[in-house]
Amino acid sequence: DAGVIQSPRHEVTEMGQEVTLRCKPISGHNSLFWYRQTMMRGLELLIYFNNNVPIDDSGMPEDRFSAKMPNASFSTLKIQPSEPRDSAVYFCASSTGNEAFFGQGTRLTVV
Amino acid sequence: GESVGLHLPTLSVQEGDNSIINCAYSNSASDYFIWYKQESGKGPQFIIDIRSNMDKRQGQRVTVLLNKTVKHLSLQIAATQPGDSAVYFCAEKKGNNRLAFGKGNQVVVIP
């Protein structure tokens, strides 16, 4: 297995634009997590899915953020409209219930 | 490098020496703990885990110690190598399969 695959690796966008981050979890993993990493706040859990169903989205900062998991092999995290303070590295991780395996992350810069 | 804290606690260790990284966790009900390693430009990688019914677990060159009385976790790296330079995170598993991460510790190996 290639591991958790995220795209794009880097994204630079202008304030106000819509941004969509993509994730392909490891096949067979039934839990998927979206994390955000910044210098100030470290690794924060935004939302997680179990069997494609959102279980806990209490970490989603505001309504500008949304996440979907239409099937077991794909998830998106969307920010609209994006703001400079959304600049961070966004990680997707998947799990079968114990340790989570992380993707390489998407480095988002909003200018 | 990626967005990890500029003000992380930093451990500088001579190559070949042993390293000890410490972590305090918050929830006495947490039953599963993991240490992750994050190198620059990469996502966190699983190193070793331990369940709350254990005090110690050993892997290859790494040992995790768990003290539930004081809610303390430590990671010991034997014979530290330049490739061990990274940020190390402890994570505790909370309810609903969530992993909550600590702020991280930077390890710098001096050749």
Side-chain angles (χ1 to χ4, degrees), chain A residues 35 37 48 97-98 100 107, chain B residues 2 36 38 51 93 96 99:
Chain A
Y35 284 88
Q37 187 174 42
Y48 91 89
N98 292 319
R107 187 180 187 98
Chain B
E2 293 300 335
Y36 281 89
Q38 187 176 25
R51 296 200 175 276
K93 185 176 177 182
N96 282 335
L99 274 180

Side-chain angles (χ1 to χ4, degrees), chain A:
Chain A
D1 200 312
V4 176
I5 299 173
Q6 291 186 245
S7 64
R9 287 296 312 275
H10 303 273
E11 176 81 32
V12 180
T13 190
E14 290 185 345
M15 181 174 64
Q17 296 298 307
E18 176 181 301
V19 175
T20 299
L21 311 181
R22 296 173 175 80
C23 175
K24 181 181 187 304
I26 293 172
S27 178
H29 284 195
N30 60 345
S31 294
L32 183 141
F33 308 83
W34 282 101
Y35 284 88
R36 177 172 68 177
Q37 187 174 42
T38 61
M39 289 183 181
M40 293 301 295
R41 302 171 73 92
L43 266 168
E44 302 174 277
L45 177 65
L46 301 177
I47 184 170
Y48 91 89
F49 296 83
N50 198 44
N51 294 323
N52 313 339
V53 176
I55 301 300
D56 184 353
D57 65 354
S58 59
M60 297 286 262
E62 46 197 277
D63 292 345
R64 297 184 297 106
F65 285 69
S66 62
K68 294 182 180 180
M69 192 166 185
N71 57 62
S73 59
F74 184 65
S75 177
T76 59
L77 177 67
K78 185 179 291 186
I79 309 172
Q80 186 193 16
S82 58
E83 297 182 2
R85 60 192 168 120
D86 301 330
S87 297
V89 181
Y90 290 81
F91 287 104
C92 176
S94 69
S95 169
T96 56
N98 292 319
E99 75 268 25
F101 294 84
F102 283 76
Q104 297 279 50
T106 295
R107 187 180 187 98
L108 173 65
T109 303
V110 184
V111 298

